Amino acid sequence: MARTQGTRPRRVRLWRWRRNPLRRRSDLAEAWLVLVTLLLALLLGVFSGLTAAAAVDGSLAERRERTTPVPAVLAEDAAGLSASVTENGDGGVWAKVRWTAPDGTGRTGRAEVDPGSPAGTGVTVWTDPAGRLVSAPPDGAEARFQTVMAGVTVAVAAGGAVLLGGCLVRFRLRLRRLAEWEAEWRRVEPSWRRRMTG
């Protein structure tokens, strides 16, 4: 005897948007909520990401304008300073350097230099308008990376917050719909039970 397989129900796409007697007002409200949430998440994510990227780019440009490369001289050998390797792991070490501030006074401080450099080696350090040592401002690929990462991070966070808010509202709608179904069943169930048993 041939075995018949049951047919799988056909999925109807965009059913909440189509007119049919089974569609409730809450179904249409949920469809609009999903659409508005997606559009708002996209728009807010793009806008906030571009704004954040522009802010970081402006901040880096301002930092580049405020810092000046200054020639300096190593005041000690950097050969035995392997224990003070810099945090960014690029192979540099911290050593004492001397430079001249904009007001003509001699200054000393610690700066990142190549390991193994002897005292008296010329190096370039970065200073602020007051002549104090600062880290070199990011430029080129590093600056672009920081700008892009800031924009992407903020865009994802803003868009994700909107999507999370939409999901929470949708969850509340579903809870309300379940409560309405339960109330409706309480009204219908006694008469339905009488018909089935009568």
Side-chain angles (χ1 to χ4, degrees):
M1 193 160 85
R3 184 177 165 189
T4 60
Q5 292 185 353
T7 58
R8 294 177 61 174
R10 190 170 60 100
R11 187 175 177 137
V12 179
R13 296 192 184 278
L14 302 173
W15 64 271
R16 286 184 174 95
W17 296 100
R18 297 180 182 179
R19 286 188 173 276
N20 69 69
L22 298 177
R23 186 187 74 182
R24 299 163 301 239
R25 270 192 339 203
S26 61
D27 294 327
L28 188 58
E30 189 173 349
W32 276 108
L33 174 68
V34 169
L35 180 65
V36 168
T37 300
L38 290 175
L39 286 176
L40 194 59
L42 180 65
L43 292 174
L44 187 63
V46 168
F47 176 75
S48 58
L50 291 175
T51 303
V56 168
D57 190 43
S59 173
L60 292 177
E62 183 182 338
R63 186 172 160 196
R64 282 191 292 272
E65 288 175 10
R66 284 196 331 258
T67 55
T68 309
V70 175
V73 177
L74 268 175
E76 63 184 2
D77 290 339
L81 300 176
S82 58
S84 343
V85 174
T86 58
E87 294 175 7
N88 58 16
D90 62 0
V93 294
W94 292 102
K96 190 175 183 181
V97 295
R98 281 192 313 270
W99 73 98
T100 304
D103 62 3
T105 59
R107 303 272 181 98
T108 60
R110 298 185 75 72
E112 184 181 349
V113 298
D114 293 330
S117 302
T121 302
V123 295
T124 300
V125 295
W126 292 82
T127 61
D128 63 11
R132 293 181 298 247
L133 278 181
V134 293
S135 58
D139 60 350
E142 186 181 355
R144 283 192 298 276
F145 177 76
Q146 288 186 18
T147 301
V148 168
M149 284 307 296
V152 168
T153 302
V154 171
V156 169
V162 172
L163 290 175
L164 180 62
C167 286
L168 289 175
V169 173
R170 194 172 179 199
F171 179 71
R172 293 292 303 267
L173 281 174
R174 287 184 178 178
L175 287 180
R176 195 167 104 190
R177 189 163 49 228
L178 287 173
E180 289 171 357
W181 283 349
E182 189 174 345
E184 182 72 23
W185 176 246
R186 279 198 208 110
R187 286 194 303 270
V188 171
E189 193 262 342
S191 61
W192 180 79
R193 185 182 296 272
R194 279 195 300 273
R195 275 197 307 246
M196 293 300 288
T197 58

